[in-house]
Structures are given as C-alpha cells and as structure tokens.
Amino acid sequence: EDQVTQSPEALRLQEGESSSLNCSYTVSGLRGLFWYRQDPGKGPEFLFTLYSAGEEKEKERLKATLTKKESFLHITAPKPEDSATYLCAVQAPGSGYSSASKIIFGSGTRLSIRP
Amino acid sequence: GAGVSQSPSNKVTEKGKDVELRCDPISGHTALYWYRQRLGQGLEFLIYFQGNSAPDKSGLPSDRFSAERTGESVSTLTIQRTQQEDSAVYLCASSTPLSTDTQYFGPGTRLTVL
C-alpha cells in the first residue's frame, strides 16, 4: 500500500538552530515527491518537487533531498518566520489524467521557531 | 495576478443540510483539484478535473459528495445531507497543463457541521 509518513509530528527549535524534517514513503514507482509549506488558516504553498534519488533543491534556508526511501527537508539557521506546517506528498504512476488520484500527502510536521 | 480563491471562507451548517463550496482557479489553469483536510491531518484527495475530460472522482468518500466544473473555470463541491464527520477544511488547487505537478492552493473553506 502506498504510504507517506512524516516525522517528527512537531519540532520546536531555537532561532538559528538547524535541523531536518523527514518524509518516508513506500510507493511503487515514484513519479515525484513534493514539499509544501502551510501556514495556519491558509492553503499549502508549493516549495519543491524532486523526481529522482540524489536530487537536491534549495530555496533560501531550505534544502530538500531525496533517496529511494525518504526525503529530508533541511532547514539551516531558521528564523521565526519559518514557523509553519511542512507537508510532504508523493505521486505514484497513474494512467493519463487519473494520475491525480495517486497523490498521497503525509500528515505534516509542525515547525516552531523561537526567537 | 490573482491566486486561487474559495468561498465561503467559513461555513457552519446543521447536520442533514446541503452545502455548496466554490472554487475559482487561476486563469489559464486547466487542472483543478479538491482535497479535504481534517484537523491535524494531511490532505485527502477528493476529485480532479482536467479540461473537458471526464473528472477523476475516485477520491469522493460517498455519493453525498459531488462536484461540477464549467469548462476551465469555476468549480462547485456539493455535500448533501451533511454529517458531523464532514467537518474539515476543503481545499481547492489548480495547475497549468504544462506542470500538473505544481499545484497552487486556495485558502480553503472551513466547514463545521453541528
């Protein structure tokens, strides 16, 4: 069964304290892995898409990496404004337009950065 | 440019009533998705529209749920005979035909069924 598990559920860091969020997945034939940021009361905001093991992408203080079993979202020297829930999602192969039904989201990691 | 908009932002209804939730996608985005997000949980796929093709309804949890989309514009998600377990945030997202992987989300409609 295709599954996405994110850990930890919640993470509290001091400003400037670097750490990593984990997204473990089991899916037959990964088509893509996505990271989103979600602020309270808002919809998710797209951050990254990773397609193959070994791929890395960066945006400001965030860097996403991908292996065959998991993805990490590394946050370097975080600031209070980085506080949010970070969601991971995977897309498994589908047929044509049915591919959307194979997008599976994890339950997210709530990140809190103390000043 | 304008992003994805949803209305209403909040909806409180009584058990057994029907509700309609609206989504206005980004202009030019042919793909439109509906998701449900229960408190503290991830997103649950509901339905997907792509242009004029038949929608993918495989995520709808019961026949009380239905959705329509007129062409490549507004979509309406209807929940009939609402139940308390329908309480959640309903999110809409759209994407371009060239990059269906990158979804742009609206702010969501928070539905509370009393």
Side-chain angles (χ1 to χ4, degrees), chain B:
Chain B
V4 177
S5 61
Q6 293 186 245
S7 60
S9 55
N10 282 284
K11 177 71 176 179
V12 180
T13 190
E14 294 179 348
K15 178 181 173 181
K17 301 278 190 180
D18 298 351
V19 294
E20 280 190 358
L21 313 180
R22 177 187 168 107
C23 172
D24 283 271
I26 294 172
S27 178
H29 283 196
T30 58
L32 187 147
Y33 312 76
W34 282 99
Y35 293 89
R36 179 170 68 180
Q37 186 174 31
R38 291 196 167 111
L39 186 64
Q41 297 187 19
L43 278 64
E44 177 187 3
F45 167 78
L46 296 177
I47 189 169
Y48 165 64
F49 296 89
Q50 173 61 280
N52 293 318
S53 300
D56 181 342
K57 305 179 181 180
S58 58
L60 294 178
S62 77
D63 58 7
R64 296 187 296 105
F65 288 73
S66 63
E68 292 184 349
R69 186 181 187 194
T70 306
E72 296 181 355
S73 60
V74 172
S75 176
T76 302
L77 177 69
T78 301
I79 309 173
Q80 296 178 310
R81 305 181 302 281
T82 52
Q83 303 295 313
Q84 288 184 331
E85 60 263 28
D86 299 334
S87 296
V89 175
Y90 290 82
L91 290 160
C92 173
S94 69
S95 64
T96 71
L98 296 179
S99 181
T100 54
D101 298 342
T102 303
Q103 299 179 26
Y104 297 86
F105 282 83
T109 293
R110 180 175 299 278
L111 175 66
T112 303
V113 182
L114 301 176

Side-chain angles (χ1 to χ4, degrees), chain A residues 3-60:
Chain A
Q3 195 168 351
V4 177
T5 303
Q6 291 189 246
S7 62
E9 289 187 9
L11 181 62
R12 291 171 62 88
L13 300 172
Q14 196 69 36
E15 182 174 4
E17 180 185 0
S18 302
S19 188
S20 297
L21 314 182
N22 177 263
C23 172
S24 298
Y25 63 90
T26 53
V27 64
S28 47
L30 180 73
R31 180 181 162 183
L33 184 142
F34 316 101
W35 281 98
Y36 286 86
R37 168 191 171 129
Q38 187 174 25
D39 292 297
K42 296 187 177 181
E45 175 188 346
F46 172 79
L47 293 174
F48 305 108
T49 305
L50 302 168
Y51 294 102
S52 57
E55 189 176 359
E56 299 183 352
K57 288 192 177 175
E58 289 189 62
K59 179 180 180 180
E60 295 181 353

Side-chain angles (χ1 to χ4, degrees), chain A residues 41-86:
Chain A
K42 296 187 177 181
E45 175 188 346
F46 172 79
L47 293 174
F48 305 108
T49 305
L50 302 168
Y51 294 102
S52 57
E55 189 176 359
E56 299 183 352
K57 288 192 177 175
E58 289 189 62
K59 179 180 180 180
E60 295 181 353
R61 294 176 292 282
L62 299 175
K63 183 169 80 171
T65 62
L66 180 64
T67 72
K68 291 186 178 180
K69 295 182 178 181
E70 59 191 349
S71 176
F72 290 95
L73 184 65
H74 306 277
I75 182 160
T76 303
K79 299 181 178 181
E81 54 262 42
D82 295 322
S83 297
T85 295
Y86 290 85

